[in-house]
Amino acid sequence: MNDLVLSAYGFPSDVSVTPHGTGLINRTWIIRSGKGTYILQQVNNQVFSRPSLIADNIEMVGHYLSSHYPETIFPKLVRTAKGETMVDAGSNGHYRLYPFIENSVTIDVANTPDQAFEAARQFGGFTHMLSGFPAERLHETLPHFHDLPLRYRAFNQALEKGLPERIRKAGQLIEFLSSQSGIVTEYQRILTDTGFKRRVTHHDTKISNVLFDKQGKGICVIDLDTVMPGYFISDVGDMFRTYLSPVTEEESDLSRIQVRPEYFEAIVQGYLDEMVDVLTPAEKAAFVYAGEFMLYMQALRFLTDYLTGDKYYTSRYEGHNYIRALNQITLLQRFQAQAPALQAIAQKVMVSI
Ligand code: GN1
Ligand code: MG
């Protein structure tokens, strides 16, 4: 850990610093000091070329929430001794600091439907509380982040310009993803459908981005790097992508990848608990599509990265991104196989709320 960063926040250089979390993009540490406990994060400058936009968004959202929902818990950025929201450590990137919320815990995998429900309520609550905030005022910290047609074009470019050996090896996965381009067409239709609204969307709704209390109740959402205007299918879809299966995208034993319908129900219920009066009928009909959208996009992104030489996602062994793509394709196929049953569950929840 860089002493300059610690001293910018007024920490002594011998303060206790422990690595924390499992994200693929940023690095995170817990700092325990005489002043209290904090979360320090290094923002990946390769991915976020303008980290100050993130700080700006967090300030805007924090300000809106504290004036409209003063009771809500929101981890605000701790300022440096000079009053700045981030430390620019030159080639070492940018750092920001949050207070650690006492008695909070994070979990890496959803192990009960209750946890999925609580997380979905938190993400739904976040968009709900911000439904009066003009979403377009937020900066696009990652322009075109969930732009599926663009991800699909990048995939097709990789088929032309990628590593020939890898393109050969990935033949079956390529064929499957190409056969599913109807998911892109449906997204293009959504873009023209006035029933779909651009809302304040989190864009990274994995369960480790929710703080829980020790009784298992959700406290708040964290990691606002990708909070931007977007569609609700991004948030709900990424919850399906990351909570439905008992194993993560890292799993190479395909037999362990499953779609657990009771988790699907819990996510729909938790999200609608907050969003039922906010979502339009067109949006409410798109829960199952949301899952296909996010699973397909993530499979495209992992496979594109594999085909072009693992430039984006950290790859820890040969073929790591291939395995991740195969994992997500498998989950997408199992999700599609259950789509009618999942649609029926979503409808059942809708009428019961
Ligand atoms: C990245 O860093 P992490 O794990 O929160 C990625 C997400 C992907 C995810 C897949 C900025 O998120 O979009 O879904 O990996 N974030 C960015 O694990 O690209
Ligand atoms: Mg993240």
Side-chain angles (χ1 to χ4, degrees):
M1 170 49 45
N2 194 317
D3 279 1
L4 278 177
V5 175
L6 294 175
S7 72
Y9 286 109
F11 292 121
S13 56
D14 62 349
V15 76
S16 141
V17 180
T18 326
H20 185 70
T22 53
L24 297 184
I25 304 294
N26 295 329
R27 296 175 67 197
T28 309
W29 298 266
I30 290 199
I31 297 196
R32 295 192 176 82
S33 79
K35 298 193 291 179
T37 308
Y38 297 88
I39 295 283
L40 180 69
Q41 261 196 333
Q42 180 188 33
V43 181
N44 182 327
N45 283 359
Q46 302 281 316
V47 173
F48 295 98
S49 54
R50 297 178 62 194
S52 65
L53 300 186
I54 300 177
D56 235 35
N57 279 355
I58 296 177
E59 294 280 291
M60 279 192 269
V61 166
H63 186 259
Y64 185 88
L65 290 180
S66 58
S67 58
H68 292 79
Y69 298 89
E71 303 293 298
T72 201
I73 295 176
F74 179 78
K76 287 200 167 144
L77 291 169
V78 177
R79 293 183 180 259
T80 64
K82 285 191 194 146
E84 283 164 339
T85 49
M86 285 198 159
V87 176
D88 181 351
S91 59
N92 280 319
H94 283 69
Y95 291 77
R96 61 334 189 13
L97 187 74
Y98 298 98
F100 179 82
I101 300 198
E102 287 309 324
N103 295 316
S104 69
V105 289
T106 52
I107 53 179
D108 282 329
V109 183
N111 286 317
T112 67
D114 271 355
Q115 291 174 337
F117 173 86
E118 285 295 322
R121 253 192 98 228
Q122 287 301 320
F123 287 112
F126 181 74
T127 298
H128 178 193
M129 285 190 287
L130 289 156
S131 56
F133 177 89
E136 302 303 328
R137 207 177 278 169
L138 293 172
H139 304 293
E140 298 241 6
T141 53
L142 289 176
H144 301 288
F145 186 38
H146 283 187
D147 180 340
L148 183 59
L150 181 109
R151 301 291 185 187
Y152 187 67
R153 283 199 297 278
F155 165 68
N156 279 301
Q157 260 164 26
L159 298 184
E160 282 171 24
K161 299 196 183 131
L163 303 166
E165 174 65 15
R166 288 190 168 192
I167 294 174
R168 215 170 23 251
K169 275 195 190 152
Q172 283 193 338
L173 308 198
I174 292 170
E175 204 180 309
F176 176 74
L177 290 179
S178 301
S179 78
Q180 296 298 307
S181 63
I183 298 174
V184 184
T185 317
E186 173 58 10
Y187 181 74
Q188 279 159 329
R189 190 200 65 74
I190 284 176
L191 291 179
T192 63
D193 183 339
T194 51
F196 280 78
K197 306 290 178 201
R198 304 255 292 164
R199 308 183 179 285
V200 178
T201 307
H202 186 283
H203 289 108
D204 191 8
T205 56
K206 59 186 179 183
I207 205 143
S208 59
N209 279 340
V210 174
L211 296 185
F212 288 86
D213 70 16
K214 303 243 160 95
Q215 285 71 46
K217 289 274 169 241
I219 300 176
C220 64
V221 308
I222 55 172
D223 184 1
L224 304 191
D225 298 348
T226 51
V227 170
M228 290 180 269
Y231 294 104
F232 95 102
I233 54 173
S234 285
D235 281 1
V236 165
D238 215 32
M239 288 193 266
F240 294 152
R241 187 181 79 78
T242 55
Y243 314 169
L244 290 186
S245 178
V247 293
T248 71
E249 65 201 14
E250 299 293 317
E251 179 62 58
S252 59
D253 177 353
L254 303 184
S255 71
R256 301 183 65 198
I257 299 172
Q258 284 174 45
V259 170
R260 299 175 293 182
E262 64 282 19
Y263 285 72
F264 179 89
E265 179 164 352
I267 294 167
V268 177
Q269 218 149 25
Y271 195 79
L272 282 179
D273 217 31
E274 291 283 348
M275 289 290 286
V276 69
D277 295 330
V278 179
L279 292 184
T280 66
E283 289 170 322
K284 284 180 186 160
F287 274 87
V288 171
Y289 177 72
E292 286 191 284
F293 167 74
M294 283 306 297
L295 277 160
Y296 183 62
M297 184 155 58
Q298 195 60 56
L300 284 176
R301 291 176 68 193
F302 282 143
L303 196 60
T304 302
D305 204 31
Y306 173 71
L307 299 177
T308 52
D310 308 317
K311 297 203 170 62
Y312 191 83
Y313 291 111
T314 316
S315 164
R316 281 184 294 275
Y317 58 87
E318 172 53 34
H320 196 163
N321 281 312
Y322 175 94
I323 290 293
R324 289 171 172 146
L326 177 60
N327 171 307
Q328 297 290 283
I329 287 174
T330 305
L331 186 55
L332 172 58
Q333 289 169 336
R334 296 192 178 150
F335 186 88
Q336 288 175 326
Q338 289 201 45
L342 299 177
Q343 185 62 39
I345 292 174
Q347 237 122 32
K348 183 189 83 180
V349 174
M350 226 84 74
V351 293
S352 75
I353 268 183

